[in-house]
Amino acid sequence: MVMVPRPETYTLVHGVPPPNALRSSVSNAANNNNNKIVSGSLSNPCNNNTTTSPTAGSLCFRNRNKKSVVMATDNKKMRTENHLRHVESMATMPSGACNISHLNAVILGDALATEENDLIFPSHDFSSQAHVPSTDKYLEMYKRSIEDPAGFWSDIASQFHWRQKWGDQVYFENLDVSKGPIKIEWFKGGITNISYNCLDRNVEAGLGNNVALYWEGNEPGFDATLTYTQLLHSVCQLANYLKDIGVGKGDAVVVYLPMLMELPITMLACARIAAVHSVVFAGFSAESLAQRIIDCKPKVVITCNAVKRGSKVINLKDIVDAALVESAQSGFSVEACLTYENQSAMTRENTKWKEGRDIWWQDVIPKYPTNCAVEWVDAEDPLFLLYTSGSTGKPKGVLHTTGGYMVYTATTFKYAFDYKPSDVYWCTADCGWITGHSYVTYGPLLNGASVIIYEGAPNYPNPGRCWDIVDKYKVTIFYTAPTLVRSLMRDGDEYVTRYTRKSLRVLGSVGEPINPSAWRWFFNIVGESRCPISDTWWQTETGGFMITPLPGAWPQKPGSATFPFFGVQPVIVDEKGVEIEGECSGYLCVKSSWPGAFRTLYGDHERYETTYFKPFTGYYFSGDGCSRDKDGYHWLTGRVDDVINVSGHRIGTAEVESALVSHPQCAEAAVVGVEHEVKGQGIYAFVTLVQGVPYSEELRKSLMLTVRNQIGAFAAPDKIHWAPGLPKTRSGKIMRRILRKIASRQLDELGDTSTLSDPNVVDQLIALADC
């Protein structure tokens, strides 16, 4: 990207610049004027007293004081007929976030982003080489993806290998519970295999000698690589072993591995033989692992003996052993436990072993052939299960199928990161979460990318480790969570600036909304004001990005996920399910399906419908709140249900409450989320003890240990607040709204407490806030 002088301030006449201002690109103007943007007065060429009503295929030019939305009314809802109203404001140049009346444009590589300079424009050099180089191109592609989804996605899907093409009906959808069971299908009848497309297709294209995986160990200096050919061979060997022990199409395989290369190898081997993998984050407790084993009943569990994360050794095999005992007691026994010997953490001599069930990976896998026939599957055959926390306490088994997920993850990866064959890509997420599925394994490998997998802690042995890895591998695309950004930000700039980071081209954010101050630090310090940030909004359920910046296409606002990806129609609705237009806040829903959407909750389709489609008939309900500013930019505001997003990990409050109440001295518990400087949200627990039990620091630690043992360390409460009672209505419902205000110390916003059965309990809780 070229360095360009700081642009002068544009003055917006009537608050609306000309419709073609954004499309012609400020950076083009800079390039055409000796890399300088000339200050000028922009006036609206349209009649400010009129508006142009949008019609199919047209853009809406509006003025700030008039609505330009065409509405159609039915008995239940008011809905916009114009499919482009999600991005209609892109026809005018954004006029700044919040209350900024003047636009100070910042161009990549030019100047720091500050509170006063909230629009970050791509440079001409970046845009001219991007897959989506302009707003015009985005609008053209988005328009087609909404008007002709079958044609749009068919053209993209045709770029992959299909043994048999899908039929005339590219997709089928029913998102309206009043019209029958919820059902989504894409490319049904098409026969393919995602492992083949990740590996064989790339080898056949001449990429066999290209590095597929770089592995960086916990300890500096420990590393390894696998080319696409070598990765294919390793996947085939494991696939042959799995077939040999009776694993076949549709059988479940539970995977409890840390970030070793064996983790994506296992995922791809399962996909190759049409087994359904269920990766469990190697930080969950034995009880949580047992729940997932009991639910999906796997033929085999694959793990390793131990892992080092930072200076700490975590004995994973012990956790698996305990989980297998618990599942057996519940009536389901696992016949085989394949265990990788991670020698840097623990030797096999120090590993507990059960003869007849446990098998060492290194003793059997290398003996198998390096070629394995592909099991061809229908596009709608299951690919994987991934359990996510739910508000009822029972984890939800999100089921993704093969064809649509393959097409969607590959496409979102390509465009959201502006991926090029020369890129080296690093996503810091663990494959135990959806980000690791879509954007460590499948999305990148489907594009033939070189991917970094890091075993250790991001701040080990010091907070500069990330940037040491970036320099070592010349990482060009770096994708991480706001939690890590805030943590590294707190450690100080010196750990960043001691490394060059010159290879970085695109940055990314995932897992939760990133606060603007962290965005600016990420942009200014890490990216040296030259790397756009793809601040992505999506979910386990969506399979891939839903709302995300496209580098090079439009200016960014720090903290905003910006505009929808191709084929995605986000809407903001009120409590009655009525779509809200223009500048607003409400519930974020999606109308119409997209290829990467999950198809059901394993074994519980009724819960699938109740959770996601019944709250607002005709829509997929994300469970998130969202604001849309006057320029059409989307700002995610977090969960609106009882799920807490801790460091990007969704944790059901009911799960934590259940664990606390299992303690013999805990009578009742209520858990809420609070803002946390590093984690995004923290867990705040109100605990009522058994009568006569005194408060003590020892008991506080014991309660936290109970949660750690039952769920995992990441779910341990940040604060336990002693509660002689909980604020309840006369019907017994806990008023969590009041608890959130107390936890956040917003005591002047408690609202009406007269409906409580005992209003005095609120004063008691406030008095105990610091105990």
Side-chain angles (χ1 to χ4, degrees), residues 1 27 85 159 173 187 372 428 434 596 625 675 762:
M1 293 181 183
S27 53
R85 86 241 204 241
Q159 299 169 23
E173 64 180 35
F187 312 115
C372 175
T428 64
I434 187 62
E675 186 175 350
V762 175

Side-chain angles (χ1 to χ4, degrees), residues 291-608:
Q291 280 183 326
R292 289 151 173 80
I293 291 172
I294 293 166
D295 193 61
C296 71
K297 297 178 173 51
K299 283 281 186 75
V300 59
V301 172
I302 300 179
T303 187
C304 74
N305 53 349
V307 65
K308 281 192 73 176
R309 188 162 177 86
S311 58
K312 183 180 180 181
V313 175
I314 303 170
N315 194 327
L316 299 180
K317 181 63 164 53
D318 282 358
I319 296 172
V320 171
D321 287 345
L324 293 179
V325 168
E326 185 172 336
S327 65
Q329 291 172 347
S330 298
F332 179 76
S333 296
V334 176
E335 297 178 2
C337 179
L338 181 66
T339 306
Y340 183 83
E341 181 187 3
N342 191 14
Q343 295 179 349
S344 63
M346 179 181 289
T347 63
R348 62 174 62 191
E349 291 76 21
N350 294 321
T351 305
K352 294 179 183 177
W353 208 247
K354 182 176 180 179
E355 294 296 336
R357 182 197 70 188
D358 299 344
I359 306 102
W360 286 114
W361 177 302
Q362 287 91 333
D363 288 352
V364 296
I365 303 305
K367 297 178 182 178
Y368 281 87
T370 57
N371 51 45
C372 175
V374 169
E375 182 72 32
W376 299 102
V377 299
D378 188 274
E380 282 301 317
D381 282 343
L383 174 61
F384 66 84
L385 277 175
L386 187 57
Y387 288 86
T388 182
S389 293
S391 57
T392 65
K394 180 185 176 183
K396 298 175 292 188
V398 170
L399 178 69
H400 279 284
T401 53
T402 302
Y405 176 84
M406 175 179 75
V407 172
Y408 197 70
T409 53
T411 307
T412 49
F413 175 82
K414 173 183 175 179
Y415 287 108
F417 295 123
D418 191 45
Y419 170 75
K420 307 290 174 54
S422 57
D423 282 319
V424 176
Y425 169 77
W426 181 21
C427 171
T428 64
D430 191 288
C431 286
W433 308 103
I434 187 62
T435 305
H437 283 59
S438 298
Y439 300 113
V440 172
T441 303
Y442 291 117
L445 295 181
L446 286 164
N447 280 277
S450 296
V451 182
I452 291 173
I453 294 174
Y454 175 46
E455 177 190 24
N459 58 354
Y460 178 80
N462 62 64
R465 184 65 186 279
C466 282
W467 321 122
D468 178 49
I469 293 172
V470 166
D471 280 0
K472 176 178 178 178
Y473 295 101
K474 294 181 172 55
V475 173
T476 58
I477 304 172
F478 179 70
Y479 189 39
T480 193
T483 299
L484 178 58
V485 173
R486 287 190 291 266
S487 176
L488 297 174
M489 180 180 173
R490 189 177 59 183
D491 290 326
D493 298 356
E494 63 274 15
Y495 285 106
V496 182
T497 55
R498 67 176 61 170
Y499 300 95
T500 69
R501 294 157 286 111
K502 293 297 183 185
S503 59
L504 288 175
R505 193 175 70 82
V506 176
L507 302 175
S509 172
V510 61
E512 59 187 299
I514 184 170
N515 51 300
S517 61
W519 194 103
R520 292 183 184 95
W521 182 85
F522 200 26
F523 176 80
N524 292 333
I525 305 302
V526 175
E528 295 181 320
S529 308
R530 57 185 171 78
C531 302
I533 299 176
S534 289
D535 178 13
T536 61
W537 175 77
W538 60 298
Q539 302 173 313
T540 303
E541 294 86 349
T542 71
F545 304 147
M546 300 292 281
I547 305 177
T548 178
L550 297 184
W554 58 71
Q556 296 179 267
K557 294 186 182 184
S560 171
T562 70
F563 296 98
F565 192 74
F566 306 126
V568 177
Q569 297 187 64
V571 295
I572 298 175
V573 303
D574 63 16
E575 292 183 354
K576 295 180 180 179
V578 177
E579 291 183 21
I580 315 171
E581 298 296 341
E583 189 174 0
C584 63
S585 293
Y587 300 94
L588 180 59
C589 296
V590 182
K591 61 191 300 184
S592 298
S593 67
W594 60 99
F598 73 134
R599 302 308 197 243
T600 191
L601 293 176
Y602 179 67
D604 199 346
H605 196 73
E606 182 180 356
R607 188 183 183 190
Y608 167 74

Side-chain angles (χ1 to χ4, degrees), residues 161-352:
H161 179 85
W162 299 81
R163 194 175 189 188
Q164 176 180 308
K165 194 174 179 180
W166 52 92
D168 293 336
Q169 187 177 39
V170 177
Y171 71 99
F172 173 86
E173 64 180 35
N174 175 40
L175 275 59
D176 189 336
V177 290
S178 69
K179 297 179 180 178
I182 299 299
K183 189 174 184 180
I184 299 170
E185 293 177 338
W186 281 83
F187 312 115
K188 188 171 178 62
I191 306 300
T192 189
N193 183 285
I194 196 170
S195 179
Y196 184 95
N197 277 283
C198 284
L199 302 173
D200 308 63
R201 185 172 63 98
N202 285 319
V203 171
E204 292 164 6
L207 304 181
N209 292 327
N210 288 13
V211 173
L213 301 178
Y214 291 101
W215 177 75
E216 176 76 6
N218 180 70
E219 300 295 334
F222 286 81
D223 52 38
T225 61
L226 283 178
T227 65
Y228 270 91
T229 297
Q230 292 169 331
L231 178 58
L232 173 59
H233 291 168
S234 297
V235 166
C236 286
Q237 288 180 313
L238 178 57
N240 283 320
Y241 164 77
L242 292 173
K243 289 201 299 184
D244 204 29
I245 64 171
V247 177
K249 183 176 182 179
D251 290 331
V253 174
V254 165
V255 186
Y256 191 74
L257 281 168
M259 288 298 282
L260 305 173
M261 287 196 287
E262 284 65 30
L263 179 45
I265 286 171
T266 300
M267 296 165 67
L268 291 162
C270 290
R272 192 170 193 84
I273 62 172
V276 180
H277 60 72
S278 177
V279 181
V280 180
F281 173 57
F284 273 111
S285 67
E287 183 175 336
S288 294
L289 176 59
Q291 280 183 326
R292 289 151 173 80
I293 291 172
I294 293 166
D295 193 61
C296 71
K297 297 178 173 51
K299 283 281 186 75
V300 59
V301 172
I302 300 179
T303 187
C304 74
N305 53 349
V307 65
K308 281 192 73 176
R309 188 162 177 86
S311 58
K312 183 180 180 181
V313 175
I314 303 170
N315 194 327
L316 299 180
K317 181 63 164 53
D318 282 358
I319 296 172
V320 171
D321 287 345
L324 293 179
V325 168
E326 185 172 336
S327 65
Q329 291 172 347
S330 298
F332 179 76
S333 296
V334 176
E335 297 178 2
C337 179
L338 181 66
T339 306
Y340 183 83
E341 181 187 3
N342 191 14
Q343 295 179 349
S344 63
M346 179 181 289
T347 63
R348 62 174 62 191
E349 291 76 21
N350 294 321
T351 305
K352 294 179 183 177

